[in-house]
Amino acid sequence: MRYLPLAFDLKDRPCLLIGGGAIATRKARLLHRAGARLVVVSPEISGELRQLVKDSKGEYFESRYHADFLDGAELVIAATEDGQVNADVSRDARAQRLPVNVVDSPALCTFTFPAIVERGPISIGISSGGAAPVLARRIRAQFEALLSPGIASLAELAERLRDRVKAVLPEARRKDFWEWVFSGPVAGKVEAGKVGEGEAELLQALEQWRGSPMPGGEVYLVGGGPGDPDLLTFRALRLMQQADVVLYDRLVSTEVLDLVRRDADRIYVGKKKEFHSVPQDDINQLLVDLAREGKKVLRLKGGDPFIFGRGGEEIDRIAEAGIPFQVVPGITAASGCSTYAGIPLTHRDHAQSVRFITGHLKEGELVLPWKELAVPGQTLVFYMGLTGLSTICGQLMMHGLPPKTPAALIEKGTTREQRVVVGDLTTLPQLAVDEQVEAPALTIIGGVVSLHQKLHWYRDSK
């Protein structure tokens, strides 16, 4: 590591900026946000830069640079288009042992500007030491995506109440308290924009912590999407990184599961056809028990937890037990798989409505409002319908849908193993056998399926 990352306190400190154009103005904006008093030297100075100087209670000189301008400066930046002037500034500043930055010239710098992620009081600097500034900016973009905008409000709340917490709790317990605040329901409410509610919960907890620490248990019900990890929400990813233990389903892809915090305990509670590893009631109770142990429990489900995912039942039990919880929606299989297969769920020429239907057999039968389903102008999406596919296609034809109605099976949709098998109501059941289609597979029926060849963009692997 050639450059040591440091945080300078520049509030009201004189910072000398040589240059008056666009590059100098960009640097001035950063210095001004940090509270610096700007001193600018350049024969020509832009209007915005003049205003920044005025706002910082600094001064500017419409003059060529000379070494006397260094007197009193605490930090120096050269941002001119004249290489000789930049070199002179670097030489003179080094002679006076002043920190100096020359834009786009790492060899002339004693410090460099990192790519900065800013969330109120929180700032993150990503530096390549001038070796690869574009790469540093790309990394910054990744951090920008991961960090909630509400982090700023959370940091400001902590700053506002820091002294109050310090007065109530001894040093040995303050760290645990703040850990609870930043990873529990207080943080969730503040980041969701409910700052007042979060502050009230923090203060209430603070009084309880006077006697004994809070257990801090919480449940995160998170939709993991249909398989492609790129389809996760940012909020889902943040909670996946906070969890102490994860309960996950069979439909959660390996790539998504790999994004869970590495040291989190993992408990498989998935269900397979004709085999239930953990009954639903036991899953519900396990979520409560783990949270009562003070753990942050991630319930990770494929697709969206509230669309044929029994998430409502789980949250009902958690709420009944008085356990704090958060719910994060995920892209449901109908949306993700159809998109990757090039099958729009609605289309002006083919379907003006869409219905999501469970195709799961109960006691060997599939009882559905077939007459309502077998109407033109709508798309039917069957979840868990592979076993009952012959029944589905037969009943729809019996109730009026034309036998040649397009139909498709999407196996392992959105993943690298995705396959799309296209036929119609008469041929699809046999195609499923011939092509050895396996679960998880989604069934889509309707005129929109005919657009698959034209619109699909995700290449099938088989």
Side-chain angles (χ1 to χ4, degrees):
M1 180 175 66
R2 179 178 173 184
Y3 289 88
L4 180 66
L6 299 171
F8 277 86
D9 180 5
L10 295 180
K11 187 172 177 58
D12 298 326
R13 297 183 181 276
C15 294
L16 178 64
L17 179 59
I18 312 301
I23 297 174
T25 301
R26 286 200 295 270
K27 298 301 182 185
R29 292 185 195 124
L30 286 173
L31 295 173
H32 182 52
R33 285 215 304 270
R37 179 162 58 84
L38 296 173
V39 179
V40 175
V41 175
S42 178
E44 297 181 3
I45 301 173
S46 72
E48 182 184 351
L49 185 50
R50 291 170 186 262
Q51 187 61 49
L52 288 169
V53 171
K54 181 179 179 181
D55 293 343
S56 74
K57 296 181 172 55
E59 55 186 334
Y60 60 82
F61 301 90
E62 293 179 286
S63 167
R64 293 187 177 276
Y65 163 78
H66 54 79
D68 291 346
F69 284 115
L70 296 173
D71 294 343
E74 297 191 21
L75 188 108
V76 181
I77 299 170
T80 78
E81 296 180 355
D82 189 321
Q84 186 57 56
V85 171
N86 289 342
D88 291 344
V89 172
S90 177
R91 181 199 63 227
D92 296 342
R94 289 168 187 259
Q96 297 191 33
R97 297 188 176 180
L98 290 171
V100 60
N101 172 270
V102 179
V103 177
D104 291 335
S105 300
L108 299 178
C109 299
T110 60
F111 76 93
T112 61
F113 279 89
I116 298 172
V117 180
E118 185 180 2
R119 294 288 190 276
I122 303 297
S123 60
I124 301 171
I126 301 106
S127 174
S128 66
V134 173
L135 178 59
R137 287 196 294 271
R138 285 180 60 86
I139 296 171
R140 178 189 65 187
Q142 294 173 355
F143 273 94
E144 291 278 13
L146 289 174
L147 292 177
S148 163
I151 289 260
S153 297
L154 191 60
E156 290 162 0
L157 175 65
E159 182 180 32
R160 190 165 65 249
L161 298 179
R162 181 179 178 183
D163 289 342
R164 188 163 179 176
V165 172
K166 186 176 181 180
V168 171
L169 297 178
E171 182 178 358
R173 305 206 27 222
R174 287 200 293 271
K175 178 179 179 295
D176 289 340
F177 177 76
W178 285 118
E179 287 282 357
W180 175 82
V181 168
F182 295 141
S183 62
V186 172
K189 288 179 179 178
V190 173
E191 291 183 13
K194 302 175 181 178
V195 178
E197 291 183 20
E199 181 172 350
E201 184 152 353
L202 185 154
L203 294 175
Q204 181 181 2
L206 181 60
E207 292 304 311
Q208 296 179 37
W209 273 69
R210 283 180 184 270
S212 60
M214 300 270 290
E218 186 177 13
V219 175
Y220 310 140
L221 181 60
V222 172
D228 186 344
D230 283 346
L231 298 181
L232 285 169
T233 65
F234 296 140
R235 187 175 169 212
L237 189 57
R238 286 196 296 272
L239 294 182
M240 289 165 67
Q241 288 292 309
Q242 293 178 15
D244 299 312
V245 58
V246 53
L247 281 66
Y248 64 99
D249 286 344
R250 180 173 64 98
L251 296 179
V252 176
S253 70
T254 301
E255 292 81 3
V256 169
L257 193 60
D258 285 344
L259 296 176
V260 173
R261 197 175 105 190
R262 291 190 176 184
D263 57 346
D265 294 329
R266 299 185 180 191
I267 302 174
Y268 175 73
V269 293
K271 301 177 178 64
K272 295 184 180 180
K273 185 176 62 174
E274 299 177 355
F275 175 76
H276 289 241
S277 58
V278 182
Q280 186 63 49
D281 288 344
D282 291 355
I283 295 174
N284 299 348
Q285 189 59 46
L286 185 57
L287 293 170
V288 172
D289 293 342
L290 290 169
R292 283 177 172 166
E293 293 175 11
K295 295 179 179 179
K296 293 181 281 293
V297 185
L298 172 67
R299 179 65 173 107
L300 187 59
K301 306 176 80 70
D304 182 278
F306 282 179
I307 298 181
F308 304 126
R310 305 191 75 170
E313 300 172 41
E314 294 171 356
I315 288 302
D316 188 39
R317 178 69 185 92
I318 293 163
E320 183 181 78
I323 304 294
F325 64 87
Q326 299 184 46
V327 181
V328 182
I331 292 179
T332 187
S335 178
C337 297
S338 64
T339 298
Y340 277 51
I343 301 174
L345 293 179
T346 61
H347 188 284
R348 186 172 60 178
D349 297 331
H350 297 278
Q352 292 73 50
S353 65
V354 59
R355 296 184 70 157
F356 298 166
I357 310 139
T358 176
H360 181 66
L361 296 174
K362 187 173 183 180
E363 298 179 356
E365 295 185 3
L366 187 58
V367 180
L368 292 171
W370 297 110
K371 189 174 181 179
E372 295 178 16
L373 301 180
V375 296
Q378 73 174 350
T379 302
L380 305 178
V381 182
F382 287 87
Y383 289 68
M384 301 166 288
L386 188 58
T387 300
L389 185 59
S390 293
T391 300
I392 291 170
C393 292
Q395 287 289 344
L396 290 174
M397 287 188 289
M398 184 182 301
H399 286 81
L401 272 190
K404 293 299 182 182
T405 299
L409 285 168
I410 305 172
E411 178 187 85
K412 299 177 182 177
T414 78
T415 72
R416 295 179 180 179
E417 298 174 300
Q418 172 179 298
R419 282 199 305 162
V420 182
V421 176
V422 177
D424 55 41
L425 291 179
T426 60
T427 62
L428 195 64
Q430 188 58 47
L431 284 171
V433 175
D434 295 343
E435 297 292 334
Q436 299 180 333
V437 177
E438 298 180 352
L442 194 78
T443 306
I444 302 180
I445 297 171
V448 292
V449 174
S450 63
L451 300 171
H452 160 68
Q453 287 298 332
K454 180 180 180 182
L455 301 182
H456 85 277
W457 59 273
Y458 190 86
R459 184 180 298 276
D460 300 341
S461 61
K462 297 182 181 178

